[in-house]
Amino acid sequence: MTGTGTSRQGPAPVAGAAGGPPRGRGLRLLRGVAYAALPAEVVLFVCLLAGVRIPGGVLLVGELLVLGLLAAEGLVWARLRRRGLSRREALAELVPGPVLRIMGHELLIMVSLVRWVARRPHGVEGADGVFPHARDQAALMYGFAFVCLVETVGMSYLLADWPLVHAVVLVLDVYTVLLVLGLHAASATRPHTLTGDVLRLRQAAHVDVRVPLGRIAAVRQELLFTHEKAEGELNLAVGSQTSVTIELAEPVDVPRFLSGTPRPVRLIRVHADDSRALCEQLTRALAEDVTPDVTRARTVPSPSPGPPPSV
């Protein structure tokens, strides 16, 4: 995710301009079948776990439907690629945006786990300042992970007599433990950074905002534990607290998580393990920024008093 909402230019309009099935009726039909087939597969799976006897013909039809859907998706993928779309653009045409963003988010979480173990933070190369922000949530996240681990052991013992159910629940429980640890790992490996004239603010794997220094009007240390949702404000709380408040002279666009649509914000509250260091280095960077527009915005001349009154 990025802090600026940019519209992608390129071959994407080609498929729409042609008016063929991949962008129109055919793609809508394919998505409709997918929306119907996937819930049906989930229902069948739950019935099998519950021990419900399902006729072999129903299972065969369900599997053939899934295989046909995958084959159709592959054909549409190949057709979109032939029309000039990149892999990312073709995938965006086939998979609904919210689903794609959720899948990408979970992939980033798992990658963050690997980076955490390898002690390789993301996006810190060449940064003038690196400001970690995961310390104050560590105890809470470890506590959640421990509770999930205890639940995993308990469910594994209770479901020992049902091997299929036991295997499915075990996989889900282990994934949950990894997800909780991955959320903390994403925060630990994605610190706030100051690089050149851009302040990059992040939270876990779902928020990544780039704020040009030219748009920052003021920055101050401010410890807050309650944050009410308000239009034009972004609160990146860690452990339910923020310690730095940044006011913007011009808004920056922050994409919403599920829809991806930009949301302009003019006030950002974040947390840092060393909030004083973040404020001091950001203040120095603002003072050293000599961009003409920024200088004019920050050094507005005071109004002239005018000539003295005549007597």
Side-chain angles (χ1 to χ4, degrees), residues 217-239:
V219 57
R220 63 181 180 273
Q221 268 188 285
E222 185 178 34
L223 185 61
L224 296 175
F225 291 93
T226 58
H227 306 86
E228 296 182 0
K229 290 186 177 180
E231 190 66 27
E233 294 184 5
L234 177 65
N235 298 308
L236 304 181
V238 175

Side-chain angles (χ1 to χ4, degrees), residues 199-251:
L199 174 65
R200 189 176 186 182
L201 304 173
R202 298 185 284 187
Q203 186 179 53
H206 62 283
V207 178
D208 192 341
V209 184
R210 299 173 188 268
V211 183
L213 294 186
R215 298 191 184 187
I216 298 178
V219 57
R220 63 181 180 273
Q221 268 188 285
E222 185 178 34
L223 185 61
L224 296 175
F225 291 93
T226 58
H227 306 86
E228 296 182 0
K229 290 186 177 180
E231 190 66 27
E233 294 184 5
L234 177 65
N235 298 308
L236 304 181
V238 175
S240 301
Q241 64 179 321
T242 58
S243 53
V244 178
T245 300
I246 301 172
E247 298 178 4
L248 304 180
E250 299 179 18

Side-chain angles (χ1 to χ4, degrees), residues 270-306:
V270 300
H271 182 67
D273 294 346
D274 190 347
S275 57
R276 182 184 298 275
L278 173 57
C279 287
E280 290 178 352
Q281 187 160 350
L282 187 55
T283 301
R284 286 197 301 268
L286 292 174
E288 295 170 359
D289 190 357
V290 293
T291 306
D293 292 339
V294 176
T295 304
R296 284 197 296 270
R298 295 199 188 120
T299 59
V300 179
S302 54
S304 172

